[in-house]
Amino acid sequence: MLKRFLVLFVALFSLFSSTTFAAERYLLNSGDVLDISVWNEESLQKQVTVLPDGVITFPLAGEVVAKDKTVAEVEEELTKKLSEYLADPVVTVSVTNVEGNRVHILGKVLNPGSFVMNQPLDAMQALSLAGGLSPYAEENNIIVLRRDGNKQQVLPVKYAEIKKGKALNTNITLESGDVIIVP
């Protein structure tokens, strides 16, 4: 009975932990740089950049959509395409540069611009990367523009309230491509 319980517990734990881990996997963005190699195939080692349309090209495989996919998904797609030409190809994809994982900050900050997110960032952390707000910034009128396909969302960031420990839900976690506007 105890053995059956332990097996069930381990199975449920591994299912939960793999689901949690998968949700946190990095999704590739346009501008990211990938190193791709096929084991034992010297001519199939290449560094590629994810193009603005989200596509990469690789010899023999042709075009592969990489944007919004994990490294494992791109490896799987390349393996499938290369299998038409090679017996059991072993494909390795690694991210060498996350240049496509950017946020943009405009307006009344000390150093506006585009910033690479090498780790998950929230709005307050991103504003600190921009040097903080200028003295004339409207602290409670900051917005984040987030594109979702052809639509945009406007997400408020209540900076003055967050500084007081209130409205913490407006200190949102940023996504690649978000634009923070500080009036």
Side-chain angles (χ1 to χ4, degrees):
M1 179 73 172
L2 180 61
K3 184 177 179 181
R4 188 178 285 166
F5 173 76
L6 286 174
V7 169
L8 180 61
F9 176 76
V10 169
L12 286 173
F13 179 76
S14 65
L15 176 67
F16 174 75
S17 60
S18 67
T19 302
T20 303
F21 181 70
E24 295 175 5
R25 304 297 303 270
Y26 179 71
L27 300 180
L28 297 169
N29 295 294
S30 298
D32 287 347
V33 179
L34 310 175
D35 270 337
I36 303 174
S37 62
V38 180
W39 183 75
N40 220 14
E41 296 290 336
E42 299 265 335
S43 62
L44 294 177
Q45 296 184 18
K46 187 175 179 184
Q47 188 173 78
V48 299
T49 301
V50 181
L51 298 173
D53 64 355
V55 170
I56 60 170
T57 56
F58 194 74
L60 298 179
E63 292 186 345
V64 173
V65 175
K67 186 176 182 346
D68 296 329
K69 290 186 178 177
T70 65
V71 167
E73 290 170 328
V74 173
E75 283 178 350
E76 184 179 323
E77 179 73 20
L78 286 168
T79 300
K80 181 179 169 186
K81 287 189 169 202
L82 291 172
S83 292
E84 296 177 24
Y85 305 99
L86 304 170
D88 299 320
V90 178
V91 178
T92 303
V93 176
S94 57
V95 180
T96 59
N97 197 325
V98 291
E99 280 296 315
N101 196 32
R102 291 183 167 270
V103 293
H104 313 280
I105 305 173
L106 309 168
K108 302 290 183 183
V109 290
L110 297 180
N111 299 305
S114 294
F115 300 88
V116 174
M117 292 192 302
N118 291 318
Q119 62 185 14
L121 291 178
D122 59 39
M124 296 295 278
Q125 291 169 323
L127 290 169
S128 74
L129 287 176
L133 303 185
S134 77
Y136 303 106
E138 296 179 31
E139 291 184 343
N140 276 339
N141 288 326
I142 299 170
I143 60 169
V144 173
L145 296 178
R146 177 169 294 160
R147 186 167 298 282
D148 184 15
N150 291 333
K151 297 179 182 176
Q152 280 198 353
Q153 292 178 296
V154 176
L155 306 167
V157 177
K158 302 293 184 186
Y159 186 93
E161 296 298 312
I162 294 169
K163 286 192 320 185
K164 297 176 189 174
K166 300 177 182 176
L168 297 178
N169 61 322
T170 69
N171 187 23
I172 61 169
T173 301
L174 299 173
E175 296 179 4
S176 180
D178 282 352
V179 178
I180 300 176
I181 301 174
V182 181

